[in-house]
Amino acid sequence: MKPLSDTDARRAVEECVRRIVPDADFGRVGPDDRFRDVLELDSLDFLSLVELLSARTGVRIDEDDYPELTTLAGTVRFLTDRTAAKTPGATENPAATGNERTRSAR
């Protein structure tokens, strides 16, 4: 996947949230607001958002990454950083990554 711009990442976040909360009003969400609170996303909604964002962007999102996804600006930054960090031929498949580590350790 090509790197996401801030605009593309924000659009992805908004589209994914709207699949969970169709009437989500992003006009009420400032860049540093905790959008889960403003849009009243519960924990299951948040997990759905993580899955949708991962599927939409191709970015693997682990539980350790959740603190970076609390604000709109943080989520956009996370997605742009992760897509920029990908290199051609890199894989996000954990099984493949594990196999590569095993091969390089030999």
Side-chain angles (χ1 to χ4, degrees):
M1 159 170 250
K2 68 177 185 160
L4 290 174
S5 67
D6 287 355
T7 301
D8 292 338
R10 182 181 170 105
R11 186 175 302 123
V13 173
E14 289 182 10
E15 288 172 3
C16 290
V17 168
R18 284 198 175 101
R19 289 191 56 195
I20 299 163
V21 183
D23 60 345
D25 180 5
F26 280 90
R28 298 181 347 181
V29 182
D32 297 317
D33 291 341
R34 297 175 59 90
F35 68 92
R36 278 182 66 183
D37 297 337
V38 175
L39 299 175
E40 299 179 8
L41 298 176
D42 64 24
S43 58
L44 292 177
D45 291 337
F46 179 73
L47 291 176
S48 294
L49 174 61
V50 168
E51 290 177 6
L52 289 169
L53 279 174
S54 184
R56 166 80 164 68
T57 64
V59 173
R60 180 179 170 155
I61 304 172
D62 295 316
E63 190 172 347
D64 292 344
D65 300 322
Y66 293 177
E68 296 183 60
L69 309 177
T70 57
T71 66
L72 189 54
T75 304
V76 167
R77 185 173 39 254
F78 173 82
L79 292 172
T80 57
D81 288 351
R82 285 292 172 95
T83 58
K86 284 188 174 183
T87 56
T91 181
E92 288 296 321
N93 181 336
T97 303
N99 289 340
E100 289 172 10
R101 279 192 212 122
T102 303
R103 281 194 297 264
S104 65
R106 291 182 188 166

